[in-house]
Amino acid sequence: MEPTDTAGPPAEPPAHWEADVVLRDGATAHVRPVGPDDAGRLVDFYARVSAESKYLRFFTPYPRLSDRDVRHFTTHDWVDRVGLGLFVGDEMLAIVRYDRIGPDGRSVRTGPQGRSATAEVAFLVQDDQQGRGVASVLLEHIAAVARERGIRRFVADVLPSNRRMVTVFTEAGYTQQSAFEDGVVRLTLELAPTETSLGVMLGREHRAEARSIARLLTPRSVAVIGASRREGTVGHTLLANLRAGEFTGEVYAVNPKAGREPIDGVPTYASVLDIPGQVDLALVAVPADAVRQVVEQCGRKGVHGLVVVSSGFAETGPEGRERQRRLVRAARRRGMRVIGPNCLGVLNTDPELRVNASLSPRMPRRGRVGMFAQSGALGIAILESTVGRGIGLSTFVSAGNRADVSGNDLLQYWEDDPATDVVLLHLESIGNPRKFTRLARRVSRSKPVVAVKSGRHSQGVPLGHVTRALSLPDSAVDALFRQAGVIRVPTVAELFDVGQLLAYQPLPAGDRIAIIGNSDSLGLLTQDACASAGLNPLRPVDLTTSATADDFRAALADALACTETDAVITVFIPPLTTSGDEVAGAIADMAGRAAEIGKPLLTTYLAHEGLPTQLRRLDADGVPAFGSVPSYPAPENAVRALAEVVRYAAWRRRPTGRVPEHPEVRTDHARALVRARLGGEDAAGLSPADAAELLDCYGIELRRAVRVDGEDAAVRAATELGYPVALKTIAEHLRHRVDVDGVRLDIGAEAGLRRVFRELTARLGGPDQARLVVQSMAPHGIATVLGLTYDESFGAVLSFGLAGPATELLGDVAHRLVPATDQDVADLVREVRAAPMLFGYRGARPVDVPALEDILLRLSRLADDLPQVTSIELNPVVVAPEGAHVLGALIRLSRPPARTDLGPRSLSRP
């Protein structure tokens, strides 16, 4: 956020300075400005701080705060003096404050002489809270506030013995200096974000959020609040499933009306506060209007997290949505995260835990797949499918309304989870798409992520999900998922088709597919399916219906040994003379060899779906292990799954690319231009001259065009620019009109220019309506359109396509997120179906694609630097055999919403 100009101190701090945060141990807390109403909390907090910590803060014994001290530390002007506190419940755990100072080190106030860009910063953290990352979180937030108020650097005086605080500053990643004088270390931190500071922040975010999910998925004690003796109730089902799953930890039942008698042998209590032991996880199954009280009690008990199965929240309308917000706020401010509400629950198949904290009676077998679903009803079907297919899960989370914990949190957890190799997601909505693509891109480099995203055509948001609908077309969402390495599939069935292949077989090294079977017709169908899916199938090997198990074994051995194959599909129909189990044994035997050499082996085995018993390789515990052979009911299913995996493997092999630095870019000039043109308006369009100036700051030349309102003016412009020239309309109402031929090219002389001018003005309604310009001719080449749009969910998005109505009609446009790497841009250009036109189609001369890619990279840099630039259309960009030439540009500015994926760590607002 850019510095704000304030005529006088604001009466109240901005609302966005408040945030819920996750600490190093996975617990949550609340950061907010400290004001006069916090005087009592500050006194209580200070009384709990040790004498040593007070000494390290004030450099002298300071046993208590005077009334004047309390007023000083709770009174702020929100510009030159700002204090933030970290709270859990109503209790202050830490405080940070900055004071703007002048060159002499004394406090100064912003005035007509300008403002100092330096502030002194100091922390105080309660002793029993040290080591939880509290000071690091507060430093991120106070630094963001300071930058917003025009402060560019912090100074901090620290005693050498205060190693914890020195570490907080030195490990933050900011550019810093230190000096030692009079027994004090003076640290100076430049607050401009650096690559290192952003990396430190994102690394801390990752570890904290992963830990917060671990607290929910690895409980040692669970309380079922709302447990019931009556069968068929939600509370009874949760308790019964937890016990039937053989949970290894302590289980407690909570119901104020159930009495003291155990429920099915489980100790029963009237309140969670009555439970004598620690409670890690609370399953909440009480009426919606009673959930708030349960949250308060769980917070007082020190419960780590909540799974709220109860319904009656945002899915019911505005009143329920507000109830949901209150639930999340109350839980976070008492240190707890929330799964749900209106959810199915969670499972963890770790044999040391065996957690079935869900409404599903089916406990999947142990496996290497992590599964996230939003819909509770669909979650039950998904678990049934995993059991039916024989696919093992590591953990499963159904988030319901996704009021707090989301798929992004699970990505953070699964990235480092040693029990998870593959991630499957069913997404009805995406709360923070920019964060999702950032995380998915990182996770997908080591673990495949497969996703079903509902709303392909409607892009709507289900009831209960407090998030905006995506505005991008579904084809663009597809492209952005591909850029992040996410395998997007259209159905839940295909989610498992792809997932089972990834979980039990190696990634292929290429797209060359061997086909072996005992049916010629099915072999040819498989070959056709491979070709249609973009794979490179070899000629099918038909073993005939009389093939024996030994025939299959020999053919598979040959295919696996062949250097011309990357994967093998076997097609097996009921034989006439051979036992199906014998053939399955041969396939399973060769699966071990396939896994060793890194070639996936999959089959259509008697129309089985999943992991047939005969094709499983079992580990020491009798669980299907890597190398088990996935089966599909039809060859087409197998080929679709393999094609997705082949594309994902190719993405993994490609270089990640880099974002060029472009040191010649004049960012400061561009920012000043944008600020000046936007002014106090919410939106503005740039004139052609301003557009040319802005593009020039980024090394993009907009070919000069001269506006003309008469024949003589057109001739003068052509003489100045030099013949041949083009004459064209720039009238907004005539853009993209296929019935209006508003361009004349290669005008070589004055007479021709005068004639064409008269023709166009007559056709287009006169000079004022026509809005004609004269432009020097660019070299002949391929006309393309480069675009930049700002989507409220994903941020800035680059687009590319060839110019012309056919491209618009067919939607042949590709998209990539900003900032784009050189590899992203190369993929973007080659993704459109008309891309062969750029590379010498049918004997034509290839055009200068590197010059085109350079413009796209510079456009990406512009969008990343200037979030106020919310729309750019470069049309046309003529790509010639040598060079690319921008002939037209439309640029619009507006004030984008504040980004939620960068800046100080915080959880999304409920």
Side-chain angles (χ1 to χ4, degrees):
M1 185 172 292
E2 292 193 6
T4 55
D5 294 318
T6 54
E12 299 290 337
H16 65 265
W17 287 2
E18 285 198 47
D20 296 322
V21 298
V22 182
L23 302 178
R24 182 179 298 159
D25 59 3
T28 57
H30 187 64
V31 174
R32 64 169 175 81
V34 172
D37 291 344
D38 293 308
R41 299 181 186 91
L42 176 65
V43 171
D44 292 341
F45 158 72
Y46 196 77
R48 295 191 300 271
V49 176
S50 69
E52 180 185 8
S53 292
K54 292 171 182 175
Y55 182 85
L56 293 175
R57 166 64 178 86
F58 293 106
F59 303 175
T60 186
Y62 215 94
R64 65 185 57 85
L65 296 176
S66 67
D67 292 343
R68 180 180 178 183
D69 292 331
V70 172
R71 286 193 299 274
H72 176 74
F73 287 117
T74 58
T75 303
H76 305 97
D77 62 10
W78 313 123
V79 177
D80 300 316
R81 299 188 314 278
V82 174
L84 300 179
L86 184 134
F87 298 81
V88 171
D90 202 41
E91 185 178 324
M92 180 186 290
L93 303 183
I95 190 170
V96 63
R97 173 186 168 107
Y98 79 67
D99 287 87
R100 196 186 300 265
I101 60 174
D104 59 357
R106 296 186 177 184
S107 297
V108 296
R109 294 192 178 187
T110 300
Q113 293 79 23
R115 56 167 58 122
S116 166
T118 303
E120 185 175 34
V121 66
F123 295 82
L124 187 59
V125 180
Q126 194 171 301
D127 292 69
D128 62 1
Q129 301 300 315
Q130 294 176 14
R132 300 181 67 201
V134 169
S136 299
V137 167
L138 285 177
L139 177 59
E140 290 177 19
H141 282 263
I142 198 71
V145 169
R147 287 193 295 267
E148 192 174 328
R149 293 310 193 207
I151 292 171
R152 296 197 295 273
R153 70 189 60 84
F154 276 159
V155 296
D157 291 333
V158 184
L159 290 175
S161 58
N162 194 354
R163 295 186 183 89
R164 284 183 181 270
M165 194 52 60
V166 172
T167 301
V168 168
F169 288 115
T170 57
E171 291 186 353
Y174 296 112
T175 302
Q176 58 186 275
Q177 296 177 333
S178 63
F180 184 76
E181 184 176 349
D182 295 331
V184 174
V185 178
R186 166 152 285 208
L187 297 168
T188 302
L189 277 70
E190 299 295 330
L191 297 184
T194 66
E195 186 174 342
T196 301
S197 68
L198 290 175
V200 168
M201 181 190 68
L202 295 178
R204 288 171 172 167
E205 173 197 70
H206 164 62
R207 291 187 293 274
E209 292 182 0
R211 180 59 188 149
S212 75
I213 300 304
R215 285 157 56 104
L216 292 162
L217 295 181
T218 59
R220 294 293 178 177
S221 55
V222 178
V224 180
I225 302 178
S228 173
R229 304 180 192 279
R230 188 156 47 92
E231 292 189 13
T233 61
V234 173
H236 184 276
T237 301
L238 287 171
L239 189 62
N241 291 344
L242 192 62
R243 296 181 68 243
E246 301 178 359
F247 176 54
T248 61
E250 298 293 331
V251 180
Y252 307 103
V254 176
N255 191 325
K257 300 178 181 179
R260 291 184 173 273
E261 288 297 317
I263 299 177
D264 293 338
V266 176
T268 304
Y269 301 90
S271 165
V272 69
L273 295 171
D274 298 331
I275 296 174
Q278 168 66 37
V279 176
D280 293 335
L281 181 68
L283 304 184
V284 181
V286 300
D289 56 5
V291 170
R292 181 71 179 275
Q293 181 182 2
V294 168
V295 172
E296 299 280 352
Q297 293 173 347
C298 287
R300 289 164 57 192
K301 179 64 180 174
V303 174
H304 289 168
L306 307 174
V307 175
V308 181
V309 180
S310 309
S311 58
F313 291 88
E315 77 279 3
T316 64
E319 183 178 343
R321 185 174 295 114
E322 182 55 36
R323 185 183 298 122
Q324 181 169 297
R325 290 193 182 101
R326 290 196 300 268
L327 157 66
V328 175
R329 282 197 295 264
R332 287 177 176 174
R333 293 177 191 189
R334 284 158 182 80
M336 300 176 292
R337 299 211 64 184
V338 178
I339 293 177
N342 191 33
C343 72
L344 181 69
V346 302
L347 298 98
N348 187 341
T349 62
D350 183 345
E352 294 189 4
L353 293 170
R354 295 194 57 79
V355 183
N356 183 0
S358 81
L359 294 173
S360 172
R362 305 298 295 269
M363 183 73 169
R365 67 176 71 246
R366 180 167 57 86
R368 312 290 301 175
V369 176
M371 178 78 202
F372 174 83
Q374 291 177 340
S375 165
L378 187 60
I380 293 178
I382 285 172
L383 291 174
E384 290 288 343
S385 183
T386 63
V387 173
R389 287 177 180 247
I391 300 173
L393 298 183
S394 58
T395 43
F396 170 87
V397 174
S398 163
N401 290 0
R402 195 183 47 72
D404 179 21
V405 170
S406 70
N408 289 344
D409 296 295
L410 270 299
L411 286 175
Q412 300 273 38
Y413 172 73
W414 282 322
E415 180 178 8
D416 295 332
D417 178 29
T420 301
D421 293 333
V422 179
V423 174
L424 304 185
L425 306 173
H426 178 267
L427 304 174
E428 294 179 326
S429 64
I430 308 175
N432 189 335
R434 274 188 285 200
K435 184 174 181 178
F436 171 77
T437 53
R438 169 169 59 84
L439 295 179
R441 190 169 193 167
R442 189 179 72 211
V443 174
S444 294
R445 283 290 165 188
S446 58
K447 298 182 180 182
V449 178
V450 191
V452 175
K453 168 66 177 71
S454 302
R456 220 172 233 281
H457 300 291
S458 64
Q459 298 288 37
V461 174
L463 291 173
H465 291 218
V466 185
T467 187
R468 63 173 65 91
L470 301 180
S471 60
L472 291 175
D474 192 65
S475 59
V477 177
D478 259 345
L480 302 184
F481 273 43
R482 281 196 301 275
Q483 183 184 2
V486 176
I487 303 171
R488 186 185 183 190
V489 292
T491 66
V492 173
E494 289 182 58
L495 180 75
F496 286 110
D497 285 346
V498 176
Q500 67 187 25
L501 179 55
L502 289 165
Y504 295 101
Q505 291 292 311
L507 294 178
D511 62 358
R512 300 167 300 178
I513 313 302
I515 303 166
I516 298 171
N518 62 350
S519 167
D520 182 53
S521 59
L522 284 181
L524 292 174
L525 282 174
T526 307
Q527 184 182 30
D528 288 344
C530 285
S532 298
L535 301 176
N536 182 14
L538 307 182
R539 183 176 180 82
V541 176
D542 178 22
L543 301 176
T544 76
T545 55
S546 61
T548 65
D550 287 339
D551 293 331
F552 269 92
R553 186 177 286 106
L556 284 170
D558 290 343
L560 292 172
C562 177
T563 58
E564 301 298 318
T565 65
D566 300 306
V568 181
I569 298 176
T570 64
V571 182
F572 180 68
I573 63 171
L576 298 177
T577 58
T578 305
S579 163
D581 288 346
E582 292 178 1
V583 172
I587 296 172
D589 288 344
M590 298 310 299
R593 174 63 178 152
E596 289 174 6
I597 64 176
K599 292 185 179 182
L601 173 61
L602 58 163
T603 184
T604 298
Y605 173 74
L606 299 177
H608 280 291
E609 184 176 58
L611 300 177
T613 303
Q614 305 92 320
L615 297 177
R616 296 175 185 174
R617 300 182 72 209
L618 304 181
D619 64 14
D621 297 322
V623 175
F626 189 76
S628 298
V629 181
S631 180
Y632 299 85
E636 294 84 357
N637 301 60
V639 169
R640 277 196 297 267
L642 181 58
E644 294 290 358
V645 173
V646 165
R647 284 190 283 270
Y648 167 71
W651 179 87
R652 282 258 296 251
R653 289 192 300 271
R654 282 202 303 270
T656 56
R658 65 181 187 87
V659 178
E661 294 184 6
H662 294 129
E664 76 283 3
V665 165
R666 293 175 287 135
T667 308
D668 291 341
H669 184 99
R671 285 181 175 143
L673 174 64
V674 167
R675 278 198 299 268
R677 297 300 177 265
L678 189 57
E681 302 297 324
D682 289 331
L686 291 187
S687 68
D690 287 337
E693 183 179 352
L694 179 62
L695 292 173
D696 184 66
C697 290
Y698 286 85
I700 301 172
E701 180 185 356
L702 177 60
R703 205 171 190 85
R704 186 183 171 202
V706 180
R707 175 83 168 86
V708 295
D709 54 9
E711 289 183 34
D712 292 339
V715 170
R716 288 194 298 271
T719 302
E720 179 185 354
L721 296 173
Y723 289 98
V725 296
L727 185 68
K728 62 183 182 182
T729 177
I730 59 170
E732 186 65 29
H733 68 285
L734 298 175
R735 288 172 53 81
H736 306 299
R737 287 278 300 275
V738 297
D739 59 325
V740 175
D741 184 10
V743 181
R744 295 291 188 274
L745 305 176
D746 283 320
I747 305 170
E750 178 180 338
L753 178 59
R754 290 183 180 275
R755 174 177 53 79
V756 168
F757 185 92
R758 290 192 296 270
E759 290 175 358
L760 282 181
T761 52
R763 176 191 290 268
L764 302 178
D768 292 339
Q769 289 292 315
R771 291 181 54 81
L772 296 176
V773 297
V774 174
Q775 192 172 48
S776 61
M777 280 294 300
H780 289 280
I782 305 296
T784 64
V785 181
L786 281 57
L788 176 86
T789 56
Y790 185 88
D791 178 79
E792 288 194 3
S793 297
F794 282 99
V797 179
L798 276 179
S799 64
F800 169 76
L802 269 61
T807 294
E808 297 171 12
L809 183 64
L810 298 174
D812 189 18
V813 180
H815 303 83
R816 288 295 183 275
L817 282 177
V818 166
T821 67
D822 51 2
Q823 184 65 53
D824 291 332
V825 163
D827 293 342
L828 174 70
V829 169
R830 289 157 180 80
E831 187 172 296
V832 296
R833 295 190 295 275
M837 297 286 291
L838 302 169
F839 297 94
Y841 184 66
R842 290 189 175 180
R845 187 179 176 188
V847 297
D848 192 349
V849 173
L852 171 65
E853 293 173 352
D854 181 66
I855 294 176
L856 283 163
L857 286 168
R858 293 174 182 275
L859 203 58
S860 170
R861 169 70 184 273
L862 185 156
D864 200 38
D865 286 347
L866 306 172
Q868 302 92 335
V869 179
T870 50
S871 174
I872 296 180
E873 183 182 284
L874 305 184
N875 184 13
V877 177
V878 176
V879 190
E882 294 182 4
H885 308 272
V886 182
L887 305 185
L890 288 177
I891 300 179
R892 289 199 60 79
L893 311 177
S894 63
R895 300 190 185 280
R899 292 187 62 168
T900 57
D901 61 321
L902 293 177
R905 283 174 284 161
S906 65
L907 294 170
S908 60
R909 292 183 179 274

